[in-house]
Amino acid sequence: MKILVPVKRVVDYNVKVRVKSDGTGVDIANVKMSMNPFDEIAVEEAVRLKEKGFATEVIAVSCGVTQCQETLRTAMAIGADRAILVETTEDLQPLAVAKLLKALVDKEQPGLIILGKQAIDDDCNQTGQMLAALADLPQATFASKVEVVDGKAQVTREIDGGLEILSINMPAVITTDLRLNEPRYVTLPNIMKAKKKQLDTLKPEDLGVDVSPRITTLKVSEPPKRSAGIKVPDVASLVDKLKNVSKVI
């Protein structure tokens, strides 16, 4: 069984994001980029399933600019066997990515597609669900535990009321949550081995997919700065402030 793992190149989670002065987007010039943390969890889970003998090959996929190769090399250093880059300079939106992944699913015929529940840059939480719909595959989102039992994927997912366990037929789409696992530390020998692994490059046209943006971002702005808190002498003053100043009651 093959496992397909889409990964996204995003601004590193330790970096303080700054908005461009003209408000057209986030400034990524000279900013450290890394793999989306949820996708890193997805790669780790796919590699663990391979180590348990449930999978024969883990394929990492990324869609975007040439620099996404670095993200794919990281995925291969974690344990992916090979990688595919769908190279484009277009501003890719979730639907376009889902269509590209659907084309790759048709081409590679994986038994599982495991990806992060959302990217930390746009927080859309849409690609996995859209892919499942386009490919007509069962899906289990926000997975906190994944097992393969009797040829089916058994997924524990977190919901408002506690935990829900789903048993879904494969092939299937699974999106990962934070508590699924803790990705392994990437060692230098594995980074060197990843440089020799196969990395194929395709264009959206090769897959017959139109990735033109459907949504236009009008403006990006930073949230207003929070004002400093104040001390009040008693409950009556607190209620007065909440009622007449903050106007929250």
Side-chain angles (χ1 to χ4, degrees):
M1 179 179 76
K2 295 179 185 176
I3 300 180
L4 195 72
V5 187
V7 296
K8 186 176 184 181
R9 178 176 179 263
V10 299
V11 175
D12 190 87
Y13 68 92
N14 287 312
V15 173
K16 180 174 171 53
V17 175
R18 300 186 183 280
V19 175
K20 291 180 181 176
S21 57
D22 58 3
T24 57
V26 172
D27 187 5
I28 60 171
N30 302 315
V31 171
K32 182 184 178 184
M33 307 291 281
S34 60
M35 189 190 303
N36 178 46
F38 290 104
D39 296 338
E40 196 173 356
I41 291 168
V43 176
E44 174 67 27
E45 192 63 26
V47 172
R48 289 187 186 188
L49 287 172
K50 184 190 171 188
E51 290 171 347
K52 291 176 183 176
F54 295 121
T56 54
E57 187 178 32
V58 176
I59 308 164
V61 178
S62 193
C63 306
V65 294
T66 307
Q67 291 89 332
C68 290
Q69 290 185 15
E70 301 166 14
T71 308
L72 290 170
R73 293 292 179 195
T74 302
M76 289 191 285
I78 294 173
D81 298 290
R82 60 185 173 94
I84 301 170
L85 170 62
V86 182
E87 190 176 347
T88 177
T89 55
E90 284 279 6
D91 178 23
L92 292 176
Q93 294 169 354
L95 181 59
V97 176
K99 288 179 176 178
L100 291 170
L101 294 177
K102 197 268 181 182
L104 288 172
V105 166
D106 292 342
K107 181 180 178 182
E108 295 289 344
Q109 296 293 308
L112 275 178
I113 304 99
I114 306 178
L115 64 161
K117 69 173 183 178
Q118 65 194 74
I120 62 170
D121 52 0
D122 56 21
D123 274 334
C124 282
N125 183 14
Q126 294 174 341
T127 305
Q129 292 89 328
M130 287 178 169
L131 172 60
L134 290 170
D136 194 23
L137 295 175
Q139 62 175 311
T141 55
F142 316 130
S144 59
K145 186 177 180 182
V146 176
E147 296 176 304
V148 177
V149 181
D150 298 329
K152 293 186 178 184
Q154 188 169 294
V155 180
T156 303
R157 59 192 300 270
E158 296 182 357
I159 59 174
D160 290 341
L163 298 176
E164 179 181 61
I165 299 175
L166 301 178
S167 180
I168 55 177
N169 293 322
M170 296 190 291
V173 176
I174 296 173
T175 70
T176 64
D177 211 339
L178 273 178
R179 277 168 284 279
L180 178 58
N181 62 51
E182 186 173 336
R184 68 194 67 188
Y185 178 76
V186 180
T187 61
L188 183 59
N190 286 337
I191 293 172
M192 300 307 292
K193 288 176 186 174
K195 292 182 178 180
K196 298 179 181 178
K197 290 184 179 180
Q198 180 182 344
L199 195 160
D200 300 319
T201 303
L202 302 171
K203 299 284 186 183
E205 306 83 65
D206 300 332
L207 300 171
V209 177
D210 175 19
V211 295
S212 303
R214 297 320 200 254
I215 301 170
T216 303
T217 301
L218 300 179
K219 185 180 180 183
V220 177
S221 59
E222 292 188 12
K225 291 184 178 179
R226 296 178 63 179
S227 56
I230 58 171
K231 289 184 179 181
V232 292
D234 50 41
V235 174
S237 301
L238 173 62
V239 173
D240 178 63
K241 296 286 186 187
L242 292 174
K243 198 171 186 178
N244 301 314
V245 180
S246 301
K247 299 187 185 299
V248 295
I249 60 173

